[in-house]
Amino acid sequence: MAFSVHVNMERCTGCGNCVIACPVDALELYTVDPATKEKIYAVKNGKSIHLDVKAELCAGCGVCVNACPYDVIRLSGKGARIPSEA
């Protein structure tokens, strides 16, 4: 893989639009239970804690970038297909 996905987690609201839009299921949004450290597949207090990108699945298509209403996802590097501004 010659590209990378960058997510500004300070601005991510945990809406899940990117996860739903991803055609290869390369994104996983979850929170962590502080007591057990187990993944919880929901958002606490309207804020996501972790957005995992499974690099081995990611095709660099940019669908997640277009799906994010808060403009917090970026693709960079050689081979990344940056969505055009419409």
Side-chain angles (χ1 to χ4, degrees), residues 24-39:
V24 294
D25 294 326
L27 300 172
E28 179 180 38
L29 180 69
Y30 63 89
T31 59
V32 176
D33 183 324
T36 66
K37 305 293 187 217
E38 294 293 318
K39 290 181 181 179

Side-chain angles (χ1 to χ4, degrees), residues 13-52:
T13 65
C15 70
N17 286 356
C18 59
V19 176
I20 293 166
C22 181
V24 294
D25 294 326
L27 300 172
E28 179 180 38
L29 180 69
Y30 63 89
T31 59
V32 176
D33 183 324
T36 66
K37 305 293 187 217
E38 294 293 318
K39 290 181 181 179
I40 300 171
Y41 295 90
V43 176
K44 290 183 179 178
N45 300 321
K47 183 75 175 170
S48 69
I49 303 301
H50 297 281
L51 179 65
D52 278 353

